[in-house]
Amino acid sequence: MRLKATTTAVLFFLLTFVVHGQTDILRKKIRSLVEARQANVGVAIVGPFGHDTLTLHGQQHYPMQSTYKFPLALAVFHQIDHGQLRLDQKVHLTKADMLPTYSPLREQYPEGDVDVTVQELLKYTVTYSDNNACDILFRLIGGTVVADRYIHTLGIADIAIVATEEEMSRAWDVQYTNWTTPVAMARLLTECYEGKHLAAGSRAVLWKMMLETVPGANRLKGQLPAGTAVGHRTGTSNTNEQGVTAAVNDVGVVVLPDGRTYTIAVFVSDSHEKPAVNEKIIADISKATWDHFLSSSKRK
């Protein structure tokens, strides 16, 4: 009996040693991909079943830009789950809602004066990263303070939702008031995908919207096999006169060929690199992570 217990302990120790060794290899690979880049890169990865977790600058604050549309969507679905809103509820849009910003909604209804459903607003916000739809949803739920407070009630402290898209557009520094740590965003994504926080129906609708995300095709998905399921949300800032891009981000859940999933959040901040290079940083990290978990599944 004691021999069996000892053998089990040894096997557990060896397995732990191997897993940590493999994680260290991935961490070193990621460091090598970013060390020569003129950018502040933050990464958090949560492997299948919570294993093989690693971070790079995981506790630093990064401007979210439109990745914050994911926690906003959680706050909207929370109100839907509690009967405060309905997916089929109509919202009347006016011309004043159609601000001159990135907005497929505005392109569809340039004069406003139309009723759309909450589900349509969520689709525009999550799938198309529509700035006007985002701010309409903020107003609908009671403002950024409501979304911020809700996320904190989930036990996620290191996310701050302060400014709307319209407010961010007014001054460069405002975008930094909407921040997250890579660890906090990865945790929120993982918990949501694993069934926490939302009702199953709401979670399914949100996951479908994230799978269909249009922006960021060259980021997390850029180097993965065609057809790989990636439920994700991107975020992108402008580049200022000094050539600094505040944020090029992509965060999401990736499905491996065997059905296992992992969460990955990559934030590229205060970058002096060209836009294509910023996206390649994310794509390179994503591919290295994919290769790591794919090879680990083949070893089992």
Side-chain angles (χ1 to χ4, degrees):
M1 191 71 178
R2 180 176 298 176
L3 177 61
K4 183 178 179 180
T6 302
T7 302
T8 300
V10 170
L11 288 174
F12 178 78
F13 171 80
L14 290 174
L15 178 60
T16 302
F17 180 80
V18 169
V19 167
H20 282 301
Q22 294 165 359
T23 301
D24 286 341
I25 292 172
L26 177 58
R27 182 181 287 105
K28 289 176 182 177
K29 174 66 175 177
I30 291 173
R31 286 188 181 277
S32 74
L33 291 170
V34 305
E35 61 186 0
R37 301 301 188 186
Q38 297 181 71
N40 178 7
V41 181
V43 182
I45 298 165
V46 181
F49 312 113
H51 299 154
D52 279 8
T53 300
L54 69 85
T55 66
L56 176 68
H57 304 146
Q59 298 296 342
Q60 284 191 23
H61 293 188
Y62 289 87
M64 287 189 285
Q65 276 291 334
S66 288
T67 62
Y68 86 153
K69 290 168 181 169
F70 166 65
L72 164 60
L74 288 183
V76 175
F77 277 110
H78 171 75
Q79 291 197 4
I80 290 169
D81 289 345
H82 288 78
Q84 297 167 269
L85 295 172
R86 301 190 319 275
L87 278 175
D88 63 355
Q89 182 175 325
K90 294 293 183 69
V91 179
H92 185 73
L93 307 184
T94 69
K95 188 173 178 61
D97 293 318
M98 302 294 107
L99 300 179
T101 181
Y102 173 75
S103 178
L105 180 68
R106 178 173 175 264
E107 294 174 8
Q108 181 71 26
Y109 308 111
E111 300 302 318
D113 194 25
V114 64
D115 292 334
V116 299
T117 65
V118 170
Q119 184 161 357
E120 287 177 284
L121 290 172
L122 281 163
K123 177 76 172 179
Y124 274 105
T125 299
V126 176
T127 300
Y128 298 106
S129 199
D130 191 294
N131 293 337
N132 283 326
C134 171
D135 284 358
I136 292 165
L137 286 176
F138 272 130
R139 290 194 290 273
L140 190 64
I141 66 171
T144 55
V145 65
V146 172
D148 185 69
R149 186 167 58 239
Y150 167 68
I151 296 302
H152 293 169
T153 66
L154 305 180
I156 308 289
D158 289 331
I159 290 180
I161 302 172
V162 175
T164 64
E165 288 283 359
E166 181 184 4
E167 290 166 339
M168 281 198 288
S169 71
R170 295 175 185 166
W172 177 262
D173 289 342
V174 176
Q175 66 189 302
Y176 291 92
T177 65
N178 293 325
W179 59 265
T180 185
T181 65
V183 167
M185 183 62 77
R187 177 184 165 192
L188 187 62
L189 282 159
T190 301
E191 290 182 353
C192 180
Y193 184 81
E194 290 180 346
K196 296 181 181 179
H197 310 319
L198 298 180
S202 291
R203 200 163 56 249
V205 174
L206 177 56
W207 174 242
K208 184 174 186 296
M209 290 177 177
M210 294 179 70
L211 284 172
E212 296 171 351
T213 289
V214 173
N218 294 323
R219 298 182 194 181
L220 288 181
K221 298 177 69 173
Q223 298 177 30
L224 302 187
T228 299
V230 182
H232 64 128
R233 179 87 290 285
T234 57
T236 312
S237 76
N238 294 325
T239 301
N240 66 15
E241 294 178 354
Q242 290 72 44
V244 176
T245 304
V248 178
N249 309 325
D250 204 357
V251 304
V253 177
V254 181
V255 183
L256 290 161
D258 62 5
R260 294 180 304 146
T261 63
Y262 61 88
T263 303
I264 178 169
V266 185
F267 296 87
V268 180
S269 184
D270 296 334
S271 176
H272 292 265
E273 305 286 355
K274 299 294 185 182
V277 174
N278 290 325
E279 292 199 316
K280 188 175 186 302
I281 292 170
I282 297 174
D284 287 346
I285 293 171
S286 178
K287 182 60 162 57
T289 305
W290 171 271
D291 290 344
H292 169 78
F293 289 124
L294 194 64
S295 63
S296 69
S297 69
K298 291 177 179 177
R299 287 193 296 268
K300 292 178 180 179

